[in-house]
Amino acid sequence: RRASSAVSSMQGGPDASGGPHTGTTIVAVAYDGGVVLGADSRVSTGAYVSNRASNKITNLCDNVFLCRSGSAAHTEAISDYVRFYTSQHVSETQQQPSVKSVASILYQMSYSNKGLMAAMIVAGYDPASGGKVFGSPIGGTLVEMPWAIEGSGSTYIWSYFDDEYKEGLSREETEELVLRGIAHAMARDGSSGGLIRLVTVDKDGATKRTVQGKDVPLILGDMPEPGTNAATVVW
């Protein structure tokens, strides 16, 4: 296998088996007072699941986080650079950066390196602007929006978010929206799965939550987890 193929397929990149380029589902939704980020945990190499419990939500600073899809190597490299430049910015200004400032650093890194396989979402909270979400698809464009989804699983849930998102959602409603949206994608997309990680960022900081596979909401068509009985126990 060529080196470029091996690198890009770490997180659902293309290889001989025809796997998707961005095999994952990442979501971020802003609400009044903060933002909720979510991601599945499956990392695939073509049709092979290489990691079922990966963390695709990376902190760039205390108040801004990054959802990653595409090549694991590329997105991790970008996040490391953005975290470094953001820390320099904080050292110089001695204050918490705005979400837009951090997103702009990511935009410069991504747009200047168009060959990278990286579809990302930057989201966070700052006192001046509140909860903010910026989508950065492959190619380096940066777009501010109330909610953003990326990855192969996003194909299955565009209409879900179009229909279910409304202005004025509470924190609890937003967390439920993100959770159920990712669950829908996991039920349809073979490159999304595992558990669901949620990060909520508001004026009090970041709150992390992990939803184990057995606790992920069942979607129409899903098979429930089989129960244990005498016939299935191996003695």
Side-chain angles (χ1 to χ4, degrees), residues 104-181:
S104 297
I105 298 174
L106 179 120
Y107 161 73
Q108 293 292 336
M109 295 295 303
S110 186
Y111 192 80
S112 300
N113 299 275
K114 289 183 177 293
L116 297 178
M117 185 63 63
M120 301 166 287
I121 302 172
V122 182
Y125 173 89
D126 63 73
S129 304
K132 290 290 182 181
V133 175
F134 293 87
S136 179
I138 294 173
T141 303
L142 188 70
V143 183
E144 181 180 352
M145 53 191 73
W147 57 269
I149 56 178
E150 273 290 355
S152 59
S154 65
T155 306
Y156 302 92
I157 55 176
W158 275 104
S159 58
Y160 174 81
F161 278 92
D162 278 335
D163 184 61
E164 295 295 326
Y165 174 80
K166 299 174 180 62
E167 293 186 0
L169 291 176
S170 66
R171 169 175 172 162
E172 291 75 17
E173 290 172 331
T174 307
E175 290 177 340
E176 184 65 18
L177 173 66
V178 173
L179 175 63
R180 293 195 65 82

Side-chain angles (χ1 to χ4, degrees), residues 18-209:
H21 291 69
T22 55
T24 188
T25 302
I26 54 175
V27 179
V29 181
Y31 67 92
D32 293 337
V35 67
V36 178
L37 303 89
D40 74 309
S41 66
R42 177 174 292 175
V43 175
S44 52
T45 303
Y48 173 71
V49 177
S50 56
N51 188 342
R52 62 188 179 89
S54 174
N55 188 357
K56 303 175 185 178
I57 305 177
T58 304
N59 69 304
L60 300 177
C61 58
D62 291 341
N63 62 310
V64 184
F65 286 75
L66 176 71
C67 288
R68 303 179 293 112
S69 73
S71 163
H74 293 175
T75 57
E76 286 177 9
I78 291 175
S79 63
D80 286 344
Y81 275 110
V82 174
R83 190 181 303 109
F84 170 73
Y85 288 121
T86 301
S87 66
Q88 283 191 322
H89 175 69
V90 172
S91 297
E92 292 173 0
T93 62
Q94 292 298 307
Q95 61 184 8
Q96 192 179 64
S98 67
V99 181
K100 187 173 183 178
S101 296
V102 179
S104 297
I105 298 174
L106 179 120
Y107 161 73
Q108 293 292 336
M109 295 295 303
S110 186
Y111 192 80
S112 300
N113 299 275
K114 289 183 177 293
L116 297 178
M117 185 63 63
M120 301 166 287
I121 302 172
V122 182
Y125 173 89
D126 63 73
S129 304
K132 290 290 182 181
V133 175
F134 293 87
S136 179
I138 294 173
T141 303
L142 188 70
V143 183
E144 181 180 352
M145 53 191 73
W147 57 269
I149 56 178
E150 273 290 355
S152 59
S154 65
T155 306
Y156 302 92
I157 55 176
W158 275 104
S159 58
Y160 174 81
F161 278 92
D162 278 335
D163 184 61
E164 295 295 326
Y165 174 80
K166 299 174 180 62
E167 293 186 0
L169 291 176
S170 66
R171 169 175 172 162
E172 291 75 17
E173 290 172 331
T174 307
E175 290 177 340
E176 184 65 18
L177 173 66
V178 173
L179 175 63
R180 293 195 65 82
I182 297 174
H184 274 282
M186 289 167 57
R188 299 288 181 263
D189 177 34
S191 295
S192 300
L195 48 85
I196 297 176
R197 301 184 196 275
L198 300 177
V199 176
T200 303
V201 190
D202 58 18
K203 61 182 179 60
D204 298 320
T207 304
K208 299 180 180 181
R209 174 186 171 194

